[in-house]
Amino acid sequence: MRPLNSLITILLSRLFRIPFVFKTALFLYEYRKKTNIGLSKNARWLRKLFKNPFDTFQEIREFTGKISTIKNGFYLINRLYDWQNIIPPFLVCFKTYEEGKTLEKSFILKQHSGKPFSEEDEKLLFSFLSAYPNYTLNNLLSWNHPDKGFLIRKERIFKCIEGEKGRLLEIGCSASPWLEDFIHNKDISSYVGADISHFALKAGRLSSSNSKSKFLQCHAEKLPFKNESFEIIVASEVMEHLKHPESLCQEAFRILRRNGVFIVSVPMHVVDQHNITDTSDFGDFTHNPYFPNFQQLKDLFVKTNLVTEDIMIDPYYIFKLRK
C-alpha cells in the first residue's frame, strides 16, 4: 500500500497545477500538522487536503509573495531542493522544516540561559541559516504582509541612495524582496546580493533573470570582494545578527570606493534594550543579545573611519554613512 501511496503522491505533484508561490511548503507543513496526519500516510493526507479546496486555496493565496511570475508551487520547491529521489520534494521539505524547528528551539534555550554562544554554537547557527528553509520562509511571510515599520524602513533606505550612482551590494539580502526596485533604478549599474543562506539566495535567483543582478553566498564578517568594489552598500537588518558587528563595518569600508555610501538599519529595540536574552521580548533568536548600544554604535562607525551623514529613527535606526 505504501508504494501505491507514494506513486499517487508523485503523480499529483507532477500533474496538479495551481498559481501559488513561496509559502506552499510552510503552509502544507502547518496544514498537515493541524490535521495530525503523519508523513507516511501520504494518500490520506492528500485526500484531507483536497476535501475542502476552496478554503485551502484561499489560505495558499495569502502566501503569494513577491515572485508572482512563478506559477507552480511544486516547480518552485523542486528547484529549491534539487532532490531527484522518489520522495516528492515537498514531503522532504516537511522533514527539513521539522529538523529546523528542533534546532531553533535549541538556540532559543541557549539564549534564555544568558550565556554567549560558543564557537560551536555559531557554526551550528550558520549551518541552520544556510541549510534550513524556516528562517527564509518566515521572512517571506512577513514581506507578504508588510507592516508599517517595514514600509518606513524601505522608503528611508531608498531615500538614502537617491542620487548615488554605481554598483550596489546588498549584504544579508535574503531572497531580495527589494531586488526589482534596486535594478530598475537607472543610477544603479549592477546589483549583488550576498547572504549566508543558500536557501534564501536560491529563492532570490528564481525571482530574477535580470543581467544587472547576481547572488553570492558568504558571511557578512568576511566579504569575498576586492578593495573599492562598490559605490553603494546596503545592510538592512543584518548587523544585529552578527557576533562581531565591527567586522562588517571594517569590511564595508574596505570594499567601498572613496565617497561611497554605506546604509545600515538596525531595529531600535535591539539597540535600546541592551543585553536582553529573553527572545520572547527580543524578537529573533538569531539576534545578538550583546549588541552595542546607540553611543557604542556611533563610536564604532567613527572607529572604522565611516562618516555619519544622517540618522533616522523609529522604529529603526537608519544610518547613512560615507567613506
Side-chain angles (χ1 to χ4, degrees):
M1 187 64 183
R2 194 170 285 181
L4 179 60
N5 289 348
S6 296
L7 180 60
I8 293 170
T9 307
I10 292 167
L11 289 173
L12 284 169
S13 71
R14 297 291 183 270
L15 299 176
F16 186 66
R17 297 292 180 263
I18 184 169
F20 61 92
V21 280
F22 274 127
K23 296 310 292 180
T24 307
L26 182 57
F27 167 75
L28 293 177
Y29 169 77
E30 292 293 343
Y31 188 91
R32 184 192 63 80
K33 188 170 69 173
K34 287 175 187 175
T35 55
N36 296 314
I37 296 172
L39 287 175
S40 62
K41 300 177 181 177
N42 297 339
R44 181 184 166 196
W45 170 70
L46 286 165
R47 285 199 300 271
K48 191 86 172 179
L49 176 66
F50 296 129
K51 189 173 181 181
N52 193 347
F54 179 77
D55 289 344
T56 301
F57 297 160
Q58 279 295 107
E59 289 190 58
I60 289 173
R61 286 192 195 98
E62 291 180 10
F63 297 137
T64 302
K66 196 76 175 175
I67 305 180
S68 57
T69 55
I70 298 174
K71 296 183 178 180
N72 186 306
F74 293 119
Y75 165 83
L76 173 69
I77 296 168
N78 265 304
R79 288 300 186 94
L80 290 177
Y81 282 92
D82 284 338
W83 280 308
Q84 302 299 321
N85 55 27
I86 193 170
I87 304 172
F90 66 86
L91 293 182
V92 180
C93 179
F94 298 150
K95 182 175 182 294
T96 311
Y97 187 85
E98 287 178 315
E99 290 171 354
K101 278 296 178 187
T102 301
L103 272 178
E104 280 185 20
K105 289 177 182 177
S106 72
F107 290 132
I108 290 170
L109 286 172
K110 286 175 181 176
Q111 275 206 354
H112 282 191
S113 72
K115 298 177 182 178
F117 274 14
S118 66
E119 186 176 340
E120 196 59 38
D121 291 332
E122 289 290 318
K123 289 178 181 177
L124 193 60
L125 178 59
F126 299 149
S127 172
F128 167 81
L129 291 174
S130 175
Y132 290 90
N134 311 32
Y135 197 74
T136 300
L137 290 173
N138 288 330
N139 280 339
L140 290 165
L141 180 58
S142 66
W143 297 336
N144 218 13
H145 304 281
D147 58 21
K148 185 179 179 181
F150 179 93
L151 297 174
I152 289 172
R153 174 162 54 100
K154 179 181 177 182
E155 180 184 355
R156 290 177 175 174
I157 287 173
F158 276 85
K159 185 177 180 181
C160 286
I161 65 174
E162 277 182 9
E164 307 293 339
K165 297 182 180 181
R167 293 159 290 183
L168 183 145
L169 168 66
E170 185 180 10
I171 301 171
C173 66
S174 189
S176 297
W178 301 341
L179 175 61
E180 291 180 18
D181 300 281
F182 283 131
I183 62 179
H184 287 127
N185 183 334
K186 62 182 180 181
D187 291 330
I188 294 175
S189 58
S190 64
Y191 168 93
V192 176
D195 202 279
I196 192 71
S197 171
H198 170 74
F199 187 94
L201 290 172
K202 201 160 187 185
R205 288 188 188 100
L206 283 172
S207 74
S208 174
S209 58
N210 192 289
S211 59
K212 285 176 66 174
S213 64
K214 66 178 182 179
F215 301 89
L216 183 69
Q217 185 180 25
C218 60
H219 195 299
E221 293 181 10
K222 191 171 179 61
L223 298 168
F225 304 108
K226 295 180 180 179
N227 294 350
E228 301 188 354
S229 297
F230 298 94
E231 285 77 17
I232 308 162
I233 299 176
V234 175
S236 178
E237 310 302 278
V238 176
M239 192 173 283
E240 69 274 14
H241 298 274
L242 303 178
K243 187 174 185 179
H244 307 289
E246 67 278 4
S247 297
L248 171 58
C249 295
Q250 292 164 357
E251 284 290 86
F253 183 85
R254 179 183 66 80
I255 65 176
L256 262 181
R257 297 198 66 162
R258 187 171 179 81
N259 206 40
V261 293
F262 180 31
I263 314 301
V264 175
S265 78
V266 185
M268 288 183 69
H269 74 271
V270 175
V271 177
D272 296 339
Q273 299 178 30
H274 196 48
N275 284 352
I276 291 179
T277 55
D278 183 353
T279 53
S280 63
D281 293 327
F282 202 62
D284 187 324
F285 75 93
T286 67
H287 284 171
N288 175 5
Y290 303 96
F291 192 75
N293 62 33
F294 183 69
Q295 187 57 51
Q296 290 170 335
L297 197 53
K298 290 201 300 181
D299 293 343
L300 176 59
F301 297 142
V302 172
K303 186 178 178 180
T304 49
N305 298 312
L306 292 161
V307 178
T308 302
E309 284 195 356
D310 196 7
I311 301 174
M312 290 165 272
I313 63 171
D314 196 17
Y316 301 92
Y317 285 118
I318 298 178
F319 298 86
K320 182 176 182 180
L321 311 164
R322 195 172 294 275
K323 178 175 178 178

